[in-house]
Amino acid sequence: MKPIISASELLSESTGARPPVLLDVRWTLGGPPGRPAYEAGHLPGAVYVDLDAELAGPPGSGGRHPLPDPEAFGAVMRRAGVSADRPVVVYDGGLGWGAARAWWLLRWAGHPDVRVLDGGLAAWTGELTEKVPTPEPGDFRPKPGARELLDADAAAALPDTGLLLDARAAERYRGDVEPIDRVGGHIPGAVSAPTTENVDAEGLFLAADVLRDRFAALGATGETPVAVYCGSGVSGAHEVLALEIAGIPAGLYAGSWSEWSSDPARPVAKGPTPR
């Protein structure tokens, strides 16, 4: 099963005998909130999910977007109508990061059928509605561990045996600027791989073979372990999704740079090279 779905495919499935549950995860780093945009127009039947409040735990030592409590996450998904035996499609405003976070969380929690709308809302050609649905409660109960999750120690060790990709912008990787976290730079041994290079000018994922070539050039050949981190575990999920499209399994260091850089004892590398 492909982890993404085109707008035309979704339009067809939404009118079929087994329409997917739709989750609207519009989110932008630093705001504005996604709920007003959702209320102004969304895919018919879509339920809004708040990334900061429902797809993450309280910020703290675990980073800006630590994973949510599994039971709390399960309750949010059930209220949204998510069941274990029904497909789910998630979308956002077009950047793809919020949708990828929801995709990764559901897959990590054991849901077998989750896809991201390629290109997000901007790619949708069907009607929009302001009607907020009240779905029948679902039955999904998380079983965490279906996807590889790294902690800080595992991320630190990975460059010695595999490949650790940094999905942030190259200038943040180098440490030229750091607009959010305590210090700039990257985890020693990590390779710069900005998430923005996984999509085209319209926000659609590049073809699988193009992504495969991109990641192979960075050292992801499928022969060694691969994992991704970013600022707080959101855009990193987008890179894990791109790797999956390319046929390369990858783990996620969800705490990411916001967790790593919060501890002054952890080493920091700067500049364009891994170490």
Side-chain angles (χ1 to χ4, degrees), residues 182 260-267:
R182 186 186 65 84
W260 181 275
S261 64
S262 68
D263 184 350
R266 294 193 183 107

Side-chain angles (χ1 to χ4, degrees), residues 2 4-12 89 115-119 123-124 204:
K2 293 194 305 181
I4 58 174
I5 183 172
S6 69
S8 60
E9 290 170 330
L10 178 57
L11 188 60
S12 176
V89 171
R115 289 165 292 171
V116 169
L117 174 58
D118 194 15
W124 180 249
L204 299 170

Side-chain angles (χ1 to χ4, degrees), residues 99-193:
R101 170 72 172 208
W103 168 83
W104 186 89
L105 272 172
L106 279 163
R107 297 294 283 125
W108 168 77
H111 198 289
D113 191 348
V114 189
R115 289 165 292 171
V116 169
L117 174 58
D118 194 15
L121 188 66
W124 180 249
T125 57
E127 66 173 314
L128 298 177
T129 181
E130 297 178 8
K131 182 179 179 181
V132 176
T134 304
E136 289 292 324
D139 64 11
F140 178 67
R141 296 195 176 275
K143 297 179 181 178
R147 288 297 174 109
E148 184 184 8
L149 173 66
L150 283 73
D151 61 13
D153 290 340
L158 183 60
D160 293 331
T161 59
L163 178 67
L164 181 63
L165 297 177
D166 185 318
R168 298 173 300 158
E171 59 269 24
R172 290 185 68 194
Y173 170 88
R174 294 190 301 265
D176 298 345
V177 298
E178 182 44 65
I180 306 171
D181 294 311
R182 186 186 65 84
V183 64
H186 57 270
I187 297 174
V191 173
S192 180

Side-chain angles (χ1 to χ4, degrees), residues 42-43 59 69 106 110 123 187-188 207:
H42 52 268
L43 272 63
D69 172 76
L106 279 163
I187 297 174

Side-chain angles (χ1 to χ4, degrees), residues 26-35 48 52 65 95:
R26 273 179 267 189
W27 174 86
T28 304
L29 180 63
R35 180 87 196 192
Y48 180 71
D52 289 319
H65 291 107
L95 186 60

